[in-house]
Amino acid sequence: MTDWNATLYDNKHKFVSNFGEDLVSFLNPQKGEHVLDVGCGTGDLAYDISKKGATVTGIDAALSMIEVAKEKYPDIHFNVQNGENFYFDPQFHAVFSNAAIHWMKNQQKVIQNCYDVLLPGGRFVAELGGANNIQSIVDAIKEASERLSILYDATLFPWVFPTKKEMAEHLINAGFNIITIEHYERPTPLVGEDGIRNWLEMFSNNMFKNLTNEEKEAIHSECECILRPQLYKENGWVADYWRIRFIAQKP
Ligand code: BEZ
């Protein structure tokens, strides 16, 4: 499983929850609703949802994230649970998830779990990386490793970026009615001159866990060179994110 540095996440990757604020409007939480946030990270969006008057439960597979979430937002229920294996009695009016499901390998199982915990009529509102997401970064990691002859363990590749068709099939197989589903490009600015290095440090570290620090640093530097012509724009680094966003309903 990926080891998460919750402090780096909050300091340098705030854009994850900033973009998610827009997804909270899409969820449109209502006073009195009970909402489950799957892959809640350090809890910022769970808190935003709770400010609308909903009761929120946040789950995340990473203990380090949940510890920080509990510290920041002591009035919200957070616990360590994995999207592929969580269980609650059906009690939620809505399930919400931002930028988390692409970290989960068995997405059909995740979607089924979300369905199972909803009350009849409940909605599932989520966004995740879709097909083509960060393709230039993925390609650069491979190219850098080949150029430098530094072999990382490719079985540690942590992401699944489904097509719209694949995600729609998962939803329908689970029993959902799809209200809306979109797949679209969303270029995402990374903070600062070291934006791409910070991104690699935060999100791709797990793939390189069998390398020395020097080998990892060399891959980061090579990736930075490979990616600069494509991703360094007038105002800094911009990652090639593609999103899938949907609203689905349990009948
Ligand atoms: C994403 O939100 O698309 C993403 C973030 C980190 C790593 C991979 C994908």
Side-chain angles (χ1 to χ4, degrees), residues 92-118:
F92 295 99
H93 299 92
V95 173
F96 173 89
S97 181
N98 179 54
I101 296 173
H102 54 250
W103 292 95
M104 303 172 196
K105 289 276 160 74
N106 187 345
Q107 295 183 343
Q108 183 65 69
K109 184 80 177 5
V110 176
I111 305 300
Q112 189 64 57
N113 291 342
C114 293
Y115 181 91
D116 290 345
V117 301
L118 278 169

PDB file of all heavy atoms in Angstrom, residues 92-118:
ATOM      1  N   PHE A  92     -26.489   5.594   4.514  1.00  0.00           N
ATOM      2  CA  PHE A  92     -26.045   6.880   3.981  1.00  0.00           C
ATOM      3  C   PHE A  92     -27.011   7.409   2.909  1.00  0.00           C
ATOM      4  O   PHE A  92     -27.490   6.662   2.064  1.00  0.00           O
ATOM      5  CB  PHE A  92     -24.632   6.744   3.390  1.00  0.00           C
ATOM      6  CG  PHE A  92     -23.602   6.419   4.441  1.00  0.00           C
ATOM      7  CD1 PHE A  92     -23.160   5.115   4.625  1.00  0.00           C
ATOM      8  CD2 PHE A  92     -23.121   7.416   5.278  1.00  0.00           C
ATOM      9  CE1 PHE A  92     -22.236   4.814   5.611  1.00  0.00           C
ATOM     10  CE2 PHE A  92     -22.192   7.120   6.279  1.00  0.00           C
ATOM     11  CZ  PHE A  92     -21.747   5.809   6.438  1.00  0.00           C
ATOM     12  N   HIS A  93     -27.238   8.715   2.984  1.00  0.00           N
ATOM     13  CA  HIS A  93     -28.032   9.371   1.926  1.00  0.00           C
ATOM     14  C   HIS A  93     -27.170   9.610   0.692  1.00  0.00           C
ATOM     15  O   HIS A  93     -27.687   9.733  -0.415  1.00  0.00           O
ATOM     16  CB  HIS A  93     -28.569  10.719   2.427  1.00  0.00           C
ATOM     17  CG  HIS A  93     -29.475  10.582   3.605  1.00  0.00           C
ATOM     18  ND1 HIS A  93     -29.028  10.656   4.907  1.00  0.00           N
ATOM     19  CD2 HIS A  93     -30.803  10.343   3.668  1.00  0.00           C
ATOM     20  CE1 HIS A  93     -30.044  10.487   5.734  1.00  0.00           C
ATOM     21  NE2 HIS A  93     -31.136  10.293   4.997  1.00  0.00           N
ATOM     22  N   ALA A  94     -25.859   9.725   0.918  1.00  0.00           N
ATOM     23  CA  ALA A  94     -24.961   9.966  -0.219  1.00  0.00           C
ATOM     24  C   ALA A  94     -23.584   9.399   0.094  1.00  0.00           C
ATOM     25  O   ALA A  94     -23.141   9.408   1.243  1.00  0.00           O
ATOM     26  CB  ALA A  94     -24.858  11.464  -0.499  1.00  0.00           C
ATOM     27  N   VAL A  95     -22.928   8.910  -0.959  1.00  0.00           N
ATOM     28  CA  VAL A  95     -21.502   8.555  -0.878  1.00  0.00           C
ATOM     29  C   VAL A  95     -20.771   9.519  -1.799  1.00  0.00           C
ATOM     30  O   VAL A  95     -21.235   9.809  -2.916  1.00  0.00           O
ATOM     31  CB  VAL A  95     -21.249   7.096  -1.308  1.00  0.00           C
ATOM     32  CG1 VAL A  95     -19.751   6.812  -1.379  1.00  0.00           C
ATOM     33  CG2 VAL A  95     -21.917   6.124  -0.346  1.00  0.00           C
ATOM     34  N   PHE A  96     -19.643  10.029  -1.304  1.00  0.00           N
ATOM     35  CA  PHE A  96     -18.861  11.040  -2.012  1.00  0.00           C
ATOM     36  C   PHE A  96     -17.429  10.537  -2.106  1.00  0.00           C
ATOM     37  O   PHE A  96     -16.920   9.901  -1.183  1.00  0.00           O
ATOM     38  CB  PHE A  96     -18.920  12.332  -1.179  1.00  0.00           C
ATOM     39  CG  PHE A  96     -18.047  13.445  -1.654  1.00  0.00           C
ATOM     40  CD1 PHE A  96     -18.505  14.360  -2.588  1.00  0.00           C
ATOM     41  CD2 PHE A  96     -16.753  13.600  -1.144  1.00  0.00           C
ATOM     42  CE1 PHE A  96     -17.704  15.411  -3.010  1.00  0.00           C
ATOM     43  CE2 PHE A  96     -15.944  14.647  -1.568  1.00  0.00           C
ATOM     44  CZ  PHE A  96     -16.430  15.550  -2.502  1.00  0.00           C
ATOM     45  N   SER A  97     -16.764  10.826  -3.230  1.00  0.00           N
ATOM     46  CA  SER A  97     -15.352  10.453  -3.312  1.00  0.00           C
ATOM     47  C   SER A  97     -14.638  11.358  -4.299  1.00  0.00           C
ATOM     48  O   SER A  97     -15.068  11.508  -5.449  1.00  0.00           O
ATOM     49  CB  SER A  97     -15.222   8.989  -3.762  1.00  0.00           C
ATOM     50  OG  SER A  97     -13.849   8.644  -3.806  1.00  0.00           O
ATOM     51  N   ASN A  98     -13.544  11.973  -3.863  1.00  0.00           N
ATOM     52  CA  ASN A  98     -12.762  12.843  -4.747  1.00  0.00           C
ATOM     53  C   ASN A  98     -11.333  12.333  -4.865  1.00  0.00           C
ATOM     54  O   ASN A  98     -10.636  12.175  -3.855  1.00  0.00           O
ATOM     55  CB  ASN A  98     -12.735  14.280  -4.199  1.00  0.00           C
ATOM     56  CG  ASN A  98     -11.898  15.185  -5.088  1.00  0.00           C
ATOM     57  OD1 ASN A  98     -12.127  15.264  -6.294  1.00  0.00           O
ATOM     58  ND2 ASN A  98     -10.913  15.835  -4.508  1.00  0.00           N
ATOM     59  N   ALA A  99     -10.895  12.113  -6.113  1.00  0.00           N
ATOM     60  CA  ALA A  99      -9.483  11.791  -6.402  1.00  0.00           C
ATOM     61  C   ALA A  99      -8.955  10.625  -5.568  1.00  0.00           C
ATOM     62  O   ALA A  99      -7.824  10.680  -5.090  1.00  0.00           O
ATOM     63  CB  ALA A  99      -8.620  13.042  -6.203  1.00  0.00           C
ATOM     64  N   ALA A 100      -9.779   9.627  -5.371  1.00  0.00           N
ATOM     65  CA  ALA A 100      -9.351   8.495  -4.537  1.00  0.00           C
ATOM     66  C   ALA A 100      -9.512   7.149  -5.244  1.00  0.00           C
ATOM     67  O   ALA A 100      -8.664   6.269  -5.092  1.00  0.00           O
ATOM     68  CB  ALA A 100     -10.153   8.501  -3.234  1.00  0.00           C
ATOM     69  N   ILE A 101     -10.576   6.991  -6.021  1.00  0.00           N
ATOM     70  CA  ILE A 101     -10.892   5.641  -6.526  1.00  0.00           C
ATOM     71  C   ILE A 101      -9.821   5.142  -7.501  1.00  0.00           C
ATOM     72  O   ILE A 101      -9.605   3.929  -7.615  1.00  0.00           O
ATOM     73  CB  ILE A 101     -12.316   5.610  -7.134  1.00  0.00           C
ATOM     74  CG1 ILE A 101     -13.344   5.893  -6.021  1.00  0.00           C
ATOM     75  CG2 ILE A 101     -12.621   4.274  -7.803  1.00  0.00           C
ATOM     76  CD1 ILE A 101     -14.766   6.052  -6.487  1.00  0.00           C
ATOM     77  N   HIS A 102      -9.078   6.071  -8.147  1.00  0.00           N
ATOM     78  CA  HIS A 102      -8.038   5.591  -9.073  1.00  0.00           C
ATOM     79  C   HIS A 102      -6.860   4.946  -8.333  1.00  0.00           C
ATOM     80  O   HIS A 102      -5.985   4.362  -8.959  1.00  0.00           O
ATOM     81  CB  HIS A 102      -7.557   6.715 -10.013  1.00  0.00           C
ATOM     82  CG  HIS A 102      -7.103   7.947  -9.322  1.00  0.00           C
ATOM     83  ND1 HIS A 102      -7.807   9.130  -9.374  1.00  0.00           N
ATOM     84  CD2 HIS A 102      -6.025   8.194  -8.552  1.00  0.00           C
ATOM     85  CE1 HIS A 102      -7.169  10.040  -8.669  1.00  0.00           C
ATOM     86  NE2 HIS A 102      -6.084   9.499  -8.164  1.00  0.00           N
ATOM     87  N   TRP A 103      -6.833   5.062  -7.000  1.00  0.00           N
ATOM     88  CA  TRP A 103      -5.808   4.368  -6.207  1.00  0.00           C
ATOM     89  C   TRP A 103      -6.245   2.952  -5.851  1.00  0.00           C
ATOM     90  O   TRP A 103      -5.518   2.224  -5.181  1.00  0.00           O
ATOM     91  CB  TRP A 103      -5.523   5.129  -4.909  1.00  0.00           C
ATOM     92  CG  TRP A 103      -4.843   6.453  -5.099  1.00  0.00           C
ATOM     93  CD1 TRP A 103      -5.451   7.672  -5.184  1.00  0.00           C
ATOM     94  CD2 TRP A 103      -3.435   6.704  -5.222  1.00  0.00           C
ATOM     95  NE1 TRP A 103      -4.500   8.649  -5.352  1.00  0.00           N
ATOM     96  CE2 TRP A 103      -3.250   8.084  -5.368  1.00  0.00           C
ATOM     97  CE3 TRP A 103      -2.307   5.867  -5.191  1.00  0.00           C
ATOM     98  CZ2 TRP A 103      -2.003   8.674  -5.510  1.00  0.00           C
ATOM     99  CZ3 TRP A 103      -1.056   6.447  -5.328  1.00  0.00           C
ATOM    100  CH2 TRP A 103      -0.914   7.839  -5.487  1.00  0.00           C
ATOM    101  N   MET A 104      -7.452   2.573  -6.236  1.00  0.00           N
ATOM    102  CA  MET A 104      -8.007   1.275  -5.804  1.00  0.00           C
ATOM    103  C   MET A 104      -8.081   0.355  -7.013  1.00  0.00           C
ATOM    104  O   MET A 104      -8.653   0.712  -8.039  1.00  0.00           O
ATOM    105  CB  MET A 104      -9.397   1.517  -5.187  1.00  0.00           C
ATOM    106  CG  MET A 104      -9.326   2.506  -4.023  1.00  0.00           C
ATOM    107  SD  MET A 104     -10.944   2.999  -3.421  1.00  0.00           S
ATOM    108  CE  MET A 104     -10.509   4.474  -2.460  1.00  0.00           C
ATOM    109  N   LYS A 105      -7.493  -0.827  -6.862  1.00  0.00           N
ATOM    110  CA  LYS A 105      -7.323  -1.716  -8.020  1.00  0.00           C
ATOM    111  C   LYS A 105      -8.639  -2.366  -8.448  1.00  0.00           C
ATOM    112  O   LYS A 105      -8.952  -2.434  -9.630  1.00  0.00           O
ATOM    113  CB  LYS A 105      -6.297  -2.813  -7.690  1.00  0.00           C
ATOM    114  CG  LYS A 105      -4.854  -2.306  -7.584  1.00  0.00           C
ATOM    115  CD  LYS A 105      -4.218  -2.231  -8.955  1.00  0.00           C
ATOM    116  CE  LYS A 105      -3.018  -1.324  -9.051  1.00  0.00           C
ATOM    117  NZ  LYS A 105      -1.788  -1.791  -8.458  1.00  0.00           N
ATOM    118  N   ASN A 106      -9.402  -2.847  -7.465  1.00  0.00           N
ATOM    119  CA  ASN A 106     -10.642  -3.549  -7.806  1.00  0.00           C
ATOM    120  C   ASN A 106     -11.811  -2.555  -7.747  1.00  0.00           C
ATOM    121  O   ASN A 106     -12.551  -2.472  -6.767  1.00  0.00           O
ATOM    122  CB  ASN A 106     -10.857  -4.721  -6.851  1.00  0.00           C
ATOM    123  CG  ASN A 106     -12.034  -5.579  -7.273  1.00  0.00           C
ATOM    124  OD1 ASN A 106     -12.854  -5.169  -8.102  1.00  0.00           O
ATOM    125  ND2 ASN A 106     -12.117  -6.769  -6.719  1.00  0.00           N
ATOM    126  N   GLN A 107     -11.955  -1.806  -8.828  1.00  0.00           N
ATOM    127  CA  GLN A 107     -12.929  -0.700  -8.792  1.00  0.00           C
ATOM    128  C   GLN A 107     -14.370  -1.213  -8.788  1.00  0.00           C
ATOM    129  O   GLN A 107     -15.252  -0.583  -8.212  1.00  0.00           O
ATOM    130  CB  GLN A 107     -12.653   0.262  -9.949  1.00  0.00           C
ATOM    131  CG  GLN A 107     -11.286   0.931  -9.752  1.00  0.00           C
ATOM    132  CD  GLN A 107     -10.921   1.961 -10.778  1.00  0.00           C
ATOM    133  OE1 GLN A 107     -11.498   2.021 -11.854  1.00  0.00           O
ATOM    134  NE2 GLN A 107      -9.924   2.776 -10.454  1.00  0.00           N
ATOM    135  N   GLN A 108     -14.598  -2.373  -9.391  1.00  0.00           N
ATOM    136  CA  GLN A 108     -15.962  -2.933  -9.341  1.00  0.00           C
ATOM    137  C   GLN A 108     -16.369  -3.185  -7.880  1.00  0.00           C
ATOM    138  O   GLN A 108     -17.491  -2.895  -7.480  1.00  0.00           O
ATOM    139  CB  GLN A 108     -16.031  -4.233 -10.155  1.00  0.00           C
ATOM    140  CG  GLN A 108     -17.427  -4.842 -10.206  1.00  0.00           C
ATOM    141  CD  GLN A 108     -18.432  -3.961 -10.948  1.00  0.00           C
ATOM    142  OE1 GLN A 108     -18.359  -3.795 -12.159  1.00  0.00           O
ATOM    143  NE2 GLN A 108     -19.378  -3.377 -10.210  1.00  0.00           N
ATOM    144  N   LYS A 109     -15.435  -3.679  -7.108  1.00  0.00           N
ATOM    145  CA  LYS A 109     -15.716  -3.982  -5.687  1.00  0.00           C
ATOM    146  C   LYS A 109     -15.974  -2.676  -4.917  1.00  0.00           C
ATOM    147  O   LYS A 109     -16.890  -2.601  -4.087  1.00  0.00           O
ATOM    148  CB  LYS A 109     -14.499  -4.732  -5.105  1.00  0.00           C
ATOM    149  CG  LYS A 109     -14.641  -5.204  -3.700  1.00  0.00           C
ATOM    150  CD  LYS A 109     -15.448  -6.481  -3.666  1.00  0.00           C
ATOM    151  CE  LYS A 109     -15.645  -7.142  -2.330  1.00  0.00           C
ATOM    152  NZ  LYS A 109     -15.199  -6.549  -1.133  1.00  0.00           N
ATOM    153  N   VAL A 110     -15.195  -1.663  -5.217  1.00  0.00           N
ATOM    154  CA  VAL A 110     -15.365  -0.365  -4.534  1.00  0.00           C
ATOM    155  C   VAL A 110     -16.772   0.182  -4.811  1.00  0.00           C
ATOM    156  O   VAL A 110     -17.488   0.608  -3.895  1.00  0.00           O
ATOM    157  CB  VAL A 110     -14.314   0.656  -5.041  1.00  0.00           C
ATOM    158  CG1 VAL A 110     -14.549   2.032  -4.421  1.00  0.00           C
ATOM    159  CG2 VAL A 110     -12.901   0.165  -4.769  1.00  0.00           C
ATOM    160  N   ILE A 111     -17.144   0.132  -6.091  1.00  0.00           N
ATOM    161  CA  ILE A 111     -18.451   0.687  -6.479  1.00  0.00           C
ATOM    162  C   ILE A 111     -19.575  -0.122  -5.817  1.00  0.00           C
ATOM    163  O   ILE A 111     -20.573   0.435  -5.364  1.00  0.00           O
ATOM    164  CB  ILE A 111     -18.610   0.647  -8.031  1.00  0.00           C
ATOM    165  CG1 ILE A 111     -17.456   1.366  -8.735  1.00  0.00           C
ATOM    166  CG2 ILE A 111     -19.957   1.206  -8.482  1.00  0.00           C
ATOM    167  CD1 ILE A 111     -17.265   2.795  -8.426  1.00  0.00           C
ATOM    168  N   GLN A 112     -19.375  -1.437  -5.748  1.00  0.00           N
ATOM    169  CA  GLN A 112     -20.399  -2.287  -5.111  1.00  0.00           C
ATOM    170  C   GLN A 112     -20.512  -1.934  -3.625  1.00  0.00           C
ATOM    171  O   GLN A 112     -21.617  -1.833  -3.082  1.00  0.00           O
ATOM    172  CB  GLN A 112     -20.026  -3.775  -5.278  1.00  0.00           C
ATOM    173  CG  GLN A 112     -21.136  -4.723  -4.852  1.00  0.00           C
ATOM    174  CD  GLN A 112     -22.369  -4.568  -5.750  1.00  0.00           C
ATOM    175  OE1 GLN A 112     -22.281  -4.716  -6.962  1.00  0.00           O
ATOM    176  NE2 GLN A 112     -23.506  -4.234  -5.148  1.00  0.00           N
ATOM    177  N   ASN A 113     -19.375  -1.726  -2.968  1.00  0.00           N
ATOM    178  CA  ASN A 113     -19.412  -1.360  -1.545  1.00  0.00           C
ATOM    179  C   ASN A 113     -20.160  -0.039  -1.347  1.00  0.00           C
ATOM    180  O   ASN A 113     -20.923   0.121  -0.391  1.00  0.00           O
ATOM    181  CB  ASN A 113     -17.989  -1.225  -0.986  1.00  0.00           C
ATOM    182  CG  ASN A 113     -17.276  -2.559  -0.895  1.00  0.00           C
ATOM    183  OD1 ASN A 113     -17.915  -3.610  -0.925  1.00  0.00           O
ATOM    184  ND2 ASN A 113     -15.950  -2.531  -0.806  1.00  0.00           N
ATOM    185  N   CYS A 114     -19.927   0.909  -2.268  1.00  0.00           N
ATOM    186  CA  CYS A 114     -20.606   2.213  -2.158  1.00  0.00           C
ATOM    187  C   CYS A 114     -22.114   2.028  -2.321  1.00  0.00           C
ATOM    188  O   CYS A 114     -22.915   2.628  -1.587  1.00  0.00           O
ATOM    189  CB  CYS A 114     -20.066   3.186  -3.216  1.00  0.00           C
ATOM    190  SG  CYS A 114     -18.342   3.625  -2.930  1.00  0.00           S
ATOM    191  N   TYR A 115     -22.502   1.183  -3.248  1.00  0.00           N
ATOM    192  CA  TYR A 115     -23.924   0.894  -3.474  1.00  0.00           C
ATOM    193  C   TYR A 115     -24.536   0.294  -2.201  1.00  0.00           C
ATOM    194  O   TYR A 115     -25.602   0.710  -1.752  1.00  0.00           O
ATOM    195  CB  TYR A 115     -24.056  -0.092  -4.644  1.00  0.00           C
ATOM    196  CG  TYR A 115     -25.474  -0.454  -4.991  1.00  0.00           C
ATOM    197  CD1 TYR A 115     -26.181   0.279  -5.950  1.00  0.00           C
ATOM    198  CD2 TYR A 115     -26.125  -1.517  -4.370  1.00  0.00           C
ATOM    199  CE1 TYR A 115     -27.489  -0.053  -6.279  1.00  0.00           C
ATOM    200  CE2 TYR A 115     -27.428  -1.852  -4.683  1.00  0.00           C
ATOM    201  CZ  TYR A 115     -28.103  -1.117  -5.639  1.00  0.00           C
ATOM    202  OH  TYR A 115     -29.395  -1.438  -5.965  1.00  0.00           O
ATOM    203  N   ASP A 116     -23.833  -0.677  -1.634  1.00  0.00           N
ATOM    204  CA  ASP A 116     -24.393  -1.444  -0.517  1.00  0.00           C
ATOM    205  C   ASP A 116     -24.647  -0.591   0.725  1.00  0.00           C
ATOM    206  O   ASP A 116     -25.537  -0.915   1.515  1.00  0.00           O
ATOM    207  CB  ASP A 116     -23.468  -2.620  -0.161  1.00  0.00           C
ATOM    208  CG  ASP A 116     -23.472  -3.698  -1.254  1.00  0.00           C
ATOM    209  OD1 ASP A 116     -24.368  -3.679  -2.122  1.00  0.00           O
ATOM    210  OD2 ASP A 116     -22.554  -4.550  -1.244  1.00  0.00           O
ATOM    211  N   VAL A 117     -23.870   0.467   0.934  1.00  0.00           N
ATOM    212  CA  VAL A 117     -24.039   1.256   2.164  1.00  0.00           C
ATOM    213  C   VAL A 117     -25.057   2.391   2.007  1.00  0.00           C
ATOM    214  O   VAL A 117     -25.375   3.081   2.979  1.00  0.00           O
ATOM    215  CB  VAL A 117     -22.691   1.837   2.662  1.00  0.00           C
ATOM    216  CG1 VAL A 117     -21.696   0.708   2.938  1.00  0.00           C
ATOM    217  CG2 VAL A 117     -22.112   2.851   1.698  1.00  0.00           C
ATOM    218  N   LEU A 118     -25.549   2.573   0.765  1.00  0.00           N
ATOM    219  CA  LEU A 118     -26.526   3.656   0.534  1.00  0.00           C
ATOM    220  C   LEU A 118     -27.932   3.218   0.914  1.00  0.00           C
ATOM    221  O   LEU A 118     -28.307   2.042   0.761  1.00  0.00           O
ATOM    222  CB  LEU A 118     -26.533   4.055  -0.950  1.00  0.00           C
ATOM    223  CG  LEU A 118     -25.450   5.013  -1.407  1.00  0.00           C
ATOM    224  CD1 LEU A 118     -25.425   5.084  -2.945  1.00  0.00           C
ATOM    225  CD2 LEU A 118     -25.645   6.411  -0.817  1.00  0.00           C
TER     226      LEU A 118
END
